[in-house]
Amino acid sequence: MNLLPDHEIYKSIGGEGLARLVAAFYRQIPSDPILGPMYPPDDLPGAESRLRDFLAFRFGGPATYIEQRGHPRLRMRHAPFAIDQAARDRWMLLMDQAMEEAAIPEAPKAILRQFFAATATFMINQPG
Ligand code: HEM
């Protein structure tokens, strides 16, 4: 049972908590052998704010993402990247590490983790 509804996550960890989480995730990207080469090296701060704004919108915060990017269409937006099981698992590993580093409390962490795991699986677009 989820004691904390999705739309209260933003209130619970705050914009600052989300910013900490996403910064901790992106700090690991440049040196990652699987994910590093996929991300735009000259626009990591832009990528960081896109993920941060998306999560704020999805979990009860401001709708900045929608205003700037429109409908998320996440699977379509990930189509240019070859995402297999290994890339999906690495994304989850880095996000799990980021949640520890950002000290996200247990209740919101459990909900975020469930969402990340399901969404990451949905992004797989390559066999193997
Ligand atoms: C499964 C492994 C994943 C890989 C390899 C991956 C990779 C990428 C890459 C390379 C980008 C482009 C960076 C940019 O310029 O914005 C991106 C964008 C993005 N990703 Fe992922 N991603 C994965 C999973 C996820 C998951 C689980 C979520 C949801 C929490 C997510 C949310 C986003 C968002 C919101 C953007 C920006 C979309 C836009 O507005 O253009 N990704 N991802």
Side-chain angles (χ1 to χ4, degrees), residues 21-105:
L21 171 64
V22 175
F25 176 81
Y26 270 100
R27 258 199 301 280
Q28 305 170 82
I29 289 289
S31 63
D32 188 88
I34 299 181
L35 300 185
M38 291 191 202
Y39 285 81
D42 51 347
D43 191 24
L44 278 184
E48 188 174 323
S49 53
R50 287 186 278 279
L51 182 57
R52 191 179 57 229
D53 289 351
F54 169 76
L55 293 174
F57 151 71
R58 175 61 181 74
F59 289 100
T64 315
Y65 180 85
I66 302 295
E67 286 154 20
Q68 296 186 346
R69 308 288 292 165
H71 188 286
R73 298 181 209 283
L74 283 190
R75 208 177 132 80
M76 187 200 78
R77 289 196 210 262
H78 285 77
F81 315 114
I83 303 179
D84 60 8
Q85 183 74 40
R88 179 254 178 235
D89 291 348
R90 181 59 61 90
W91 195 100
M92 273 308 292
L93 177 70
L94 299 195
M95 188 51 86
D96 277 340
Q97 289 173 176
M99 288 206 278
E100 293 309 311
E101 187 186 328
I104 303 299

